Every structure is written in structure tokens, then in C-alpha cells.
Amino acid sequence: MAVYTEVSDAELEAFLSEYDIGEADALKGVAEGVENSNYFLTTTKGQYFLTLYEKRVDPKDLPFFLGLMDHLSARGINCPQPIHGRDGNAVRTLAGRPAAITTFLHGLSPRRIAVKHCGPVGAALAGLHLAGRDFALKRTNALSVAGWRPLFDASRRHVDGAMAGELEAELTFLEARWPTGLPSGVIHADLFNDNVFFLHDKLSGLIDFYFACNDFFAYDVAICLNAWCFESDNSFNATKARSLLQAYDKVRKLGEDERRVLPLLARGSALRFLLTRLYDWTHTPADALVKRKDPQEYLAKLRFHRSTKSLADYGL
């Protein structure tokens, strides 16, 4: 979440006239994340979330993202629900960008991840995977292994020779060994702590489905291992990983084929986030109201996964 596009009072008033959610009382930009322009919107009828979709989001993908949120919400997953205008549409144009309003979820993202958070995240992720099985729309994961080399090529001149060589070797390794045929379906693909809300130590909602796509379920699990199971010094916490994986297994059991390749998927996940962070670090406009994220964190995680020998290194 970030703010790249400013919205004038007149533009907002005209935009809201297409909905039945009242008139604007306040609009506050949110400077977290890196993808879209996001605002907390307060109207005379309640609180909402307003998103303007920036260049990385293809407008053709919006029916998938917003339709998925409607689908998951109808199946008991607590996530934002798109607000449809009086014409039935959830997407329209604001300040020259595709835009949508969703419901506002209450809760706080955990800033210090503890073991008590990891089990609920694992269970929620498995529930999402099951709830999305009958979602009719499909979207290819543009940030899977085939999409990593273009990111690297666009950013390699900004890193020193040693790091460039390490990333080149890692790409070559993963491109040759990436698995096929694993159980797949709708995945969140970005379930970091800032996309999970808790209230009184209970998971209260999942947000930000704008990387959601169809891919391996186990790859989504691997993303969560990277996002939830490392400490601030980038050391891996096997107790957190065990809690997350065991809770996932209670809702949707990982198959032996998935468990076998989980370390490789975690290695690929670390490279994916390293490369997108590197790209954003070097290409984000200097005047954008956005919090950039350090790619070096994921280099350390990548090196951990490269050193592992089996699932025992992940707490199983």
C-alpha cells in the first residue's frame, strides 16, 4: 500500500456519487507497501478502503481480484468485500486510474511476530486454499519462476558483481529444478504480516489480494515461511515454522510430494521477494509516498534455504 496518485476533493465527490455509501468525511493516504495508491475513506455512512490501481496492476486482472474477494467472503473467509456501485460495477475510474472501494476490516497487523501468530496464519492459509477451489476465474502467476529473470535483468546494474553473480547462479539453479504437477489452485501469494489482522490475539482478517493467482498451494506455504518464521536478525525460527505447518496440515494436509519440495519452494520464494524488492528499490519514484523495503533481508533468507538439508531444518 502506498500513495502515488493524489485525489482531489472534486474527483472524490464525483466518484462517490456512483455509490450508496454516503458523502466523504475524510480521506487519508496510507504509506505502506509498494503496489497501489491506498486511502482510508470515511463517509457519512461508515469506514471504507479506497484503492487506485497503479502501473504494475493490469486492469484486466481486476475482475479476478475483486471477484475472488467476493467469493472468499461468501465462503467464510474474513477479507475485504468490494463495494459495488448502483450500476453493479465494483471498478470505475478515479484520478485517471482504475479504482475500487472495499469494506474496512478491523484489527492490527502484528509488528512483532510471535509463535502464537503463526498457527492461526497457517490455518487461515489452508482455509483460503480450500475456499478458493471452486472459484471459476483463473490468473497465471506472473511472478513465478519465469518472471524472475526479467526483474533481475532490469536491476542487475544496481548491484555489485559478487551479488549479481550469486543471483545469476541462483536463477539458473531454480529455473532448471522448479517442480511441476503439484496440487494447485488459488493462492494469496503475499500473505505477509502487514496483510493479516489480529484482534485480541485472534486472527480477524486477511487483506491485499492483488498478487492472488493460480499456483502451487505449497508455494504459498513457502512464502509464509519466509514472511513469518524469521527473526529480526534473519535467523530462522523452527518453532514458528512448526506451528505454522502443523496448523496448515490440520485444515489441508500437505502431500508427500509437497513436503519434499518445500525447501526448494522456500528458496524460490526468497529469490522472488529479493528481486521484486531490488526492482522497487531502484525504480520507485523519489517523490512517491511509499515505504521501500530492503532487498538484503531476502538475500539472508535465500542463503538459509540454500543451506538446508531436509524438512527437519524447518521444524518437522
Side-chain angles (χ1 to χ4, degrees), residues 69-130:
M69 286 187 272
D70 275 330
H71 178 92
L72 294 175
S73 181
R75 283 155 181 77
I77 304 298
N78 195 20
C79 64
Q81 292 178 261
I83 302 297
H84 296 258
R86 285 190 293 274
D87 59 1
N89 293 325
V91 182
R92 43 193 20 93
T93 300
L94 176 60
R97 296 279 189 264
I101 300 172
T102 62
T103 54
F104 180 82
L105 295 186
H106 291 279
L108 293 172
S109 297
R111 298 306 176 191
R112 291 181 176 232
I113 297 173
V115 173
K116 66 182 180 182
H117 298 121
C118 296
V121 167
L125 184 69
L128 186 158
H129 290 165
L130 295 179

Side-chain angles (χ1 to χ4, degrees), residues 34-49:
V34 294
E35 291 306 315
N36 302 308
S37 293
N38 291 275
Y39 294 89
F40 290 122
L41 169 65
T42 303
T43 76
T44 51
K45 291 189 177 180
Q47 293 178 303
Y48 302 91
F49 207 77

